[in-house]
């Protein structure tokens, strides 16, 4: 549809992309923000929004942590605490503030709610929510723990609720959040912080009393909220949990680690795998019973799953070769739900990150000292 070149080298997969009716806004992890016109790709404005050092207050605003749109403003959040309110038409900074600190540090990246709230965990056993419009504290909730390790971590945020993990936990890794039997799990209202339901990790098969040498930890991997349910994997079990009650609707054993998930009214599509072998498992949405599976996805090695979706009787899977830093190959495969037969629809020799609701795809490719941005039609 269009292509444009931007000075400098960056990967969309390391960026945050948000969009309105007229523009794409791309926040790079080093702090730069680009605004591109949707229809032509023309750069509307390009700003190295200064992320001033606030180390004297317990943090250094160095990396861009998130973007959020509201009315005619773009909110740029750095390293959990520094917020810039930017005019989305000109890139001009209208206002900036620093979110108050709770504990010695905040944990994990911030989560944004559709209501314009940024949710942060801490090592003081407190989950806090701040208004992006004013920087004021909207609410906070304490876990009330006397443990030395007072972690409180939001792991999933939606318009319906916020899933939070408390102490005792062993910590976080790229593989998920480590849990013990007594680890509290709460689902909070985004607007008030009120507890909708709470339980403990033992409800999901966690039996470990604490860190033990030579034993595997139980960890909660990627969390997905779809159609009134929370989906996550602990050990080899995929759990479907009601967002209304916290009860387990069903659970199903998976052959490998959960990588991506999507749902319809009738099906749950799950991509599992590790290393160079990835599979697609199709489950019944109401019972969790396996309907079909593709034992090994075709195409490239070491894939990074970008998107899965259902189109009529086929499954669309976009995934990118993440084995190289300089070049990327992104494949679109269409897989027949009933037979599992795959067919390659398109190959892009670049990184793909953003999928618009109208089916357009934003991609990037480094060429020399520039980055080539393209908009494709799916």
């Amino acid at each position: 549809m269009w292509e444009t070149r931007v000075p400098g080298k960056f990967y969309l997969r390391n960026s945050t992309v948000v969009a309105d009716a007229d523009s794409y806004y791309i926040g790079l992890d080093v702090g730069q923000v680009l605004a591109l016109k949707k229809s032509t790709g023309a750069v509307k404005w390009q700003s190295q929004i200064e992320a001033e050092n606030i180390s004297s207050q317990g943090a250094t605003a160095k990396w861009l942590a998130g973007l959020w749109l509201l009315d005619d403003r773009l909110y740029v959040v750095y390293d959990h605490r520094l917020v810039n309110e930017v005019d989305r038409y000109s890139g001009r900074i209208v206002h900036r503030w620093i979110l108050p600190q709770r504990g010695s540090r905040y944990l994990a990246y911030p989560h944004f709610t559709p209501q314009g709230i940024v949710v942060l965990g801490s090592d003081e056993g407190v989950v806090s929510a701040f208004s992006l419009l004013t920087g004021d504290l909207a609410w906070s909730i304490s876990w009330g723990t006397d443990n030395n390790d007072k972690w409180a971590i939001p792991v999933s945020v939606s318009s319906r609720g916020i899933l939070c993990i408390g102490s005792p936990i062993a910590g976080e890794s790229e593989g998920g959040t480590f849990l013990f039997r007594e680890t509290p799990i709460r689902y909070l209202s985004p607007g008030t912080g009120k507890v909708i339901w709470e339980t403990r990790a033992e409800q999901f098969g966690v039996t470990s009393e604490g860190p033990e040498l030579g034993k595997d930890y139980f960890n909660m991997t990627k969390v997905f909220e779809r159609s009134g349910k929370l989906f996550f994997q602990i050990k080899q079990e995929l759990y479907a949990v009601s967002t209304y009650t916290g009860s387990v609707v069903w659970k199903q054993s998976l052959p490998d680690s959960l990588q991506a998930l999507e749902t319809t009214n009738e099906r749950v599509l799950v991509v599992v795998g590790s290393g160079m072998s990835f599979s697609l498992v199709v489950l019944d949405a109401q019972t969790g019973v396996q309907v079909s599976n593709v034992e090994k996805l075709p195409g490239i090695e070491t894939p990074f799953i970008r998107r899965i979706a259902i189109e009529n009787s086929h499954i669309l899977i976009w995934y990118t070769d993440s084995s190289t830093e300089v070049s990327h190959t992104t494949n679109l495969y269409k897989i027949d739900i009933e037979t599992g037969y795959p067919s390659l629809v398109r190959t892009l020799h670049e990184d793909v990150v953003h999928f618009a609701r109208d089916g357009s795809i934003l991609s990037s490719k480094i060429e020399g000292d520039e980055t080539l941005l393209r908009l494709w039609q799916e």
Side-chain angles (χ1 to χ4, degrees):
M1 296 175 63
W2 54 252
E3 63 180 50
T4 189
R5 295 181 182 274
V6 179
K9 302 177 182 181
F10 62 87
Y11 300 102
L12 280 179
R13 61 187 170 86
N14 294 334
S15 307
T16 302
V17 182
V18 295
D20 57 22
D22 180 67
S23 305
Y24 290 113
Y25 302 91
I26 305 173
L28 309 183
D29 58 3
V30 293
Q32 190 177 33
V33 180
L34 301 173
L36 303 179
K37 192 170 180 61
K38 264 188 174 181
S39 58
T40 64
V43 177
K44 296 176 60 176
W45 53 264
Q46 181 173 350
S47 177
Q48 184 71 39
I49 298 175
E50 180 188 0
E52 63 187 17
N53 189 297
I54 55 172
S55 58
S56 61
Q57 301 183 45
T60 301
K62 183 178 180 182
W63 302 103
L64 188 142
L67 300 177
W68 195 82
L69 288 168
L70 180 66
D71 298 329
D72 60 349
R73 295 289 188 260
L74 173 69
Y75 294 88
V76 185
V77 182
Y78 291 94
D79 276 17
H80 322 299
R81 295 191 57 203
L82 177 65
V83 179
N84 284 312
E85 180 184 345
V86 179
D87 182 282
R88 71 167 74 179
Y89 303 108
S90 66
R92 179 178 61 89
I93 296 176
V94 178
H95 184 54
R96 68 172 11 161
W97 58 86
I98 297 171
L99 298 176
Q101 181 87 10
R102 292 299 300 264
S104 63
R105 62 193 177 104
Y106 282 121
L107 303 174
Y109 278 107
H111 294 267
F112 301 92
T113 76
Q115 296 87 350
I117 298 294
V118 57
V119 183
L120 299 166
S122 76
D123 61 356
E124 197 182 56
V126 175
V127 175
S128 303
F130 299 90
S131 168
L132 276 180
L133 280 66
T134 64
D136 295 336
L137 179 68
W139 53 262
S140 67
I141 181 171
S142 173
W143 294 96
T145 176
D146 294 327
N147 294 347
N148 292 327
D149 187 13
K150 300 179 181 180
W151 293 50
I153 302 175
V155 294
S156 174
V157 172
S158 72
S159 59
R160 165 134 184 92
I162 302 164
L163 185 67
C164 296
I165 309 296
S167 293
I169 60 176
E172 290 187 296
S173 75
E174 293 183 359
T177 303
F178 293 126
L179 308 175
F180 301 134
R181 185 173 66 84
E182 294 297 317
T183 298
I185 299 173
R186 292 176 176 174
Y187 194 65
L188 311 178
S189 165
T192 64
K194 180 181 178 180
V195 178
I196 299 174
W197 53 261
E198 61 182 311
T199 186
R200 294 189 180 275
E202 61 184 335
Q203 178 181 351
F204 309 116
V206 176
T207 57
S208 175
E209 298 287 345
E212 301 176 52
L213 292 177
K215 291 192 175 181
D216 293 333
Y217 287 129
F218 290 81
N219 64 312
M220 177 185 290
T221 59
K222 299 178 177 68
V223 179
F224 301 88
E225 183 167 335
R226 303 283 190 276
S227 306
K229 298 185 185 72
L230 291 163
F231 296 91
F232 52 82
Q233 184 184 29
I234 296 180
K235 288 292 188 179
Q236 295 299 106
E237 300 289 337
L238 175 67
Y239 286 86
V241 177
S242 169
T243 58
Y244 299 95
T245 64
S247 60
V248 177
V249 179
W250 52 258
K251 65 178 181 178
Q252 176 63 258
S253 295
L254 296 178
D256 211 324
S257 300
L258 174 64
Q259 300 295 329
L261 182 146
E262 195 52 78
T263 65
T264 68
N265 291 334
E266 298 180 350
R267 296 287 186 263
V268 178
L269 311 178
V270 183
V271 176
V272 299
S274 58
M276 297 183 184
S277 178
F278 287 76
S279 304
L280 173 70
V281 180
V282 182
L283 308 175
D284 182 275
Q286 304 306 316
T287 64
V289 173
Q290 182 173 309
V291 176
S292 64
N293 75 297
V294 180
E295 292 188 357
K296 185 174 182 181
L297 292 176
I300 57 182
E301 296 180 345
T302 60
F304 184 88
I305 307 301
R306 294 302 191 185
R307 181 193 184 197
I308 58 176
I310 288 183
E311 180 187 84
N312 299 323
S313 60
H314 290 83
I315 300 164
L316 299 177
I317 300 183
W318 283 94
Y319 50 97
T320 298
D321 183 358
S322 57
S323 61
T324 61
E325 287 294 315
V326 178
S327 63
H328 300 272
T329 300
T330 303
N331 287 343
L332 168 62
Y333 272 94
K334 181 179 288 188
I335 298 175
D336 187 280
I337 292 178
E338 301 303 326
T339 66
Y341 180 78
S343 56
L344 177 63
V345 177
R346 171 176 286 174
T347 295
L348 302 178
H349 295 289
E350 43 204 280
D351 192 23
V352 170
V353 70
H354 185 72
F355 300 88
R357 291 181 179 178
D358 60 4
S360 56
I361 303 145
L362 191 63
S363 68
S364 70
K365 182 179 182 181
I366 294 176
E367 294 186 345
D369 293 327
E370 296 180 320
T371 298
L372 175 66
L373 295 173
R374 301 190 198 195
L375 192 70
W376 303 79
Q377 190 66 41
E378 187 175 71

